[in-house]
């Protein structure tokens, strides 16, 4: 797993890995989190369980999700490499990219 704490302490490293400063990342993370909830509610199928019930995701926090998709877009690693970096199987990486890319587009207001 990527050392998120180290990344958030070092502005130069943050810019090199994801292309944003720590300040920009934190500002974007707040809006990304709100857009993620809106996206999940909008694309939710009819379930008996309430939102948040069931098995927890493998990318736990909205900041982790944002780091995941920004790293994917900046470096464009293979699904195998992205899975290695985030502790996921390549099929899960593919699913998360398909979920998080529209959320990022909604957050930024463009493709």
């Amino acid at each position: 797993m990527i050392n998120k704490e180290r990344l958030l302490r070092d502005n130069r490293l943050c810019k090199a890995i994801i292309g944003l400063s720590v300040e920009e990342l934190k500002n974007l993370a707040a809006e990304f989190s709100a857009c993620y909830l809106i996206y999940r509610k909008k694309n939710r199928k009819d379930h008996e369980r309430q939102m948040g019930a069931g098995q927890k995701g493998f990318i736990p926090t909205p900041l982790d999700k944002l780091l995941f998709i920004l790293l994917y877009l900046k470096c464009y690693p293979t699904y195998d490499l992205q899975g290695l970096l985030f502790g996921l199987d390549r099929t899960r990486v593919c699913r998360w990219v398909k979920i998080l890319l529209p959320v990022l587009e909604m957050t930024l207001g463009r493709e």
Side-chain angles (χ1 to χ4, degrees):
M1 185 75 174
I2 290 180
N3 189 341
K4 178 176 61 172
E5 291 77 27
R6 181 175 175 212
L7 185 67
L8 293 175
R9 283 193 314 256
D10 190 346
N11 201 39
R12 186 203 58 79
L13 183 62
C14 191
K15 284 183 180 179
I17 299 296
I18 60 168
L20 296 173
S21 68
V22 174
E23 181 76 23
E24 292 169 330
L25 178 64
K26 289 181 180 179
N27 291 337
L28 187 61
E31 191 173 340
F32 181 83
S33 178
C35 288
Y36 179 73
L37 288 176
I38 292 168
Y39 178 83
R40 295 292 290 166
K41 287 179 184 176
K42 186 172 70 172
N43 293 317
R44 183 174 162 80
K45 297 176 184 167
D46 292 331
H47 290 282
E48 293 180 17
R49 293 184 186 175
Q50 291 187 359
M51 206 57 179
Q55 184 178 7
K56 301 303 175 215
F58 291 98
I59 306 176
T61 66
L63 180 60
D64 291 329
K65 290 173 176 62
L66 182 59
L67 287 173
F68 176 89
I69 197 64
L70 289 175
L71 177 74
Y72 178 79
L73 290 173
K74 180 156 191 303
C75 300
Y76 200 64
T78 63
Y79 288 159
D80 292 313
L81 178 57
Q82 186 83 351
L84 179 67
L85 293 173
F86 283 87
L88 300 171
D89 186 63
R90 68 178 177 264
T91 57
R92 292 268 182 196
V93 171
C94 181
R95 287 183 200 154
W96 276 114
V97 168
K98 288 179 182 179
I99 291 170
L100 296 177
L101 194 55
V103 175
L104 183 63
E105 290 172 354
M106 183 169 48
T107 303
L108 298 174
R110 63 172 195 248
E111 290 186 21

